[in-house]
Amino acid sequence: MSRVAKLAALAAVSTAAVTLTAAPALAWTNGTFTATANANSLVVRVNDTVVATCSGSTLRGSITSTGSFSVTSATATGCGVTVTPTGFPWSGSFTSSSPTSGTAAINGFKMTALGCTYTGNLSGPYTGAAPPATATFTRVPVTGSGGLCFSNVNVSATYVFTQP
């Protein structure tokens, strides 16, 4: 390979590396966040039958500029049954696949309802180039433990993440 060809190949590789690392992520600042689920957007299903639809839910915690976050408190209200978020902190992240979208994850999700504790890791798409960002979790399976728990339980929720 000639010296000119080697330099051209090196320049192409360097340009590709810069292009791959230059995609912008969400414009979070280190600090706190609030994620709010609008009315009827937190739904619990058992075998595709809705057993709880909550009129509201809020997550609060801290987030870094890289999109990693920690949920330190949560509420679920107006569910028709008592739903209690527990087991904090839950960890999470926003991983961008484009300037305006990617994957949101909440690990360690844990709520009690109907005498059982349901746990799991939620994952789903998000949209938004900067706060607010909307994360949608659709029929994500969770596992129940304690008492006579339902099997085949899944959770759906849509949260809008904002910063003060």
Side-chain angles (χ1 to χ4, degrees):
M1 180 181 269
S2 74
R3 181 174 179 219
V4 172
K6 286 180 186 177
L7 288 174
L10 180 59
V13 169
S14 296
T15 302
V18 169
T19 302
L20 292 175
T21 58
L26 284 169
W28 296 108
T29 56
N30 291 332
T32 61
F33 75 89
T34 300
T36 305
N38 294 330
N40 303 322
S41 66
L42 175 61
V43 179
V44 179
R45 290 180 179 83
V46 176
N47 294 322
D48 286 332
T49 300
V50 174
V51 295
T53 300
C54 301
S55 62
S57 179
T58 302
L59 311 176
R60 295 187 195 290
S62 60
I63 192 162
T64 68
S65 60
T66 63
S68 295
F69 60 88
S70 176
V71 177
T72 55
S73 69
T75 62
T77 57
C79 303
V81 297
T82 301
V83 176
T84 306
T86 187
F88 301 106
W90 306 339
S91 63
S93 64
F94 288 100
T95 305
S96 63
S97 58
S98 80
T100 59
S101 65
T103 301
I106 298 175
N107 300 314
F109 170 86
K110 188 175 189 179
M111 290 192 178
T112 60
L114 303 171
C116 294
T117 300
Y118 294 94
T119 60
N121 295 322
L122 307 182
S123 181
Y126 79 82
T127 58
T134 301
T136 304
F137 306 104
T138 305
R139 295 188 180 196
V140 180
V142 293
T143 304
S145 62
L148 298 172
C149 300
F150 292 108
S151 58
N152 299 317
V153 176
N154 62 66
V155 173
S156 296
T158 300
Y159 286 98
V160 178
F161 285 74
T162 59
Q163 285 191 284

